[in-house]
Amino acid sequence: MKRIVWMGIGVAIGVIAFRKVTEAQSNLGPEGLNRAVGRLADGVYDFADAVRAGMRERETDLRAALGVDSAELVRR
């Protein structure tokens, strides 16, 4: 009975190890690298968009606080 239990534990560990190795290989391959770079690029673009939106909002707040009209700047 003990041998069957230990055999089952060994099989379970083997399956888990095989899955981890397969997952690591797919992440380290060209497709995995492309996915990682794509996620990083998307994150950078999202951050840049958020910064631009914040800049526009802050500029609008400053213009309102200073009483500066954007049409006035176009005439100069």
Side-chain angles (χ1 to χ4, degrees):
M1 186 68 176
K2 287 182 182 182
R3 287 184 181 181
I4 293 175
V5 171
W6 285 111
M7 183 180 204
I9 292 172
V11 168
I13 290 172
V15 168
I16 291 169
F18 179 76
R19 284 188 172 183
K20 292 290 183 181
V21 167
T22 304
E23 181 182 336
Q25 284 177 343
S26 69
N27 287 338
L28 295 176
E31 296 86 12
L33 184 60
N34 285 341
R35 280 192 303 271
V37 170
R39 280 189 227 124
L40 178 64
D42 290 343
V44 169
Y45 288 132
D46 291 343
F47 177 73
D49 287 342
V51 168
R52 282 189 213 106
M55 287 172 48
R56 279 192 296 271
E57 182 180 338
R58 182 65 179 148
E59 184 177 0
T60 303
D61 293 345
L62 290 173
R63 287 183 183 278
L66 295 173
V68 177
D69 188 12
S70 60
E72 182 180 312
L73 293 176
V74 173
R75 284 186 241 144
R76 289 185 189 181

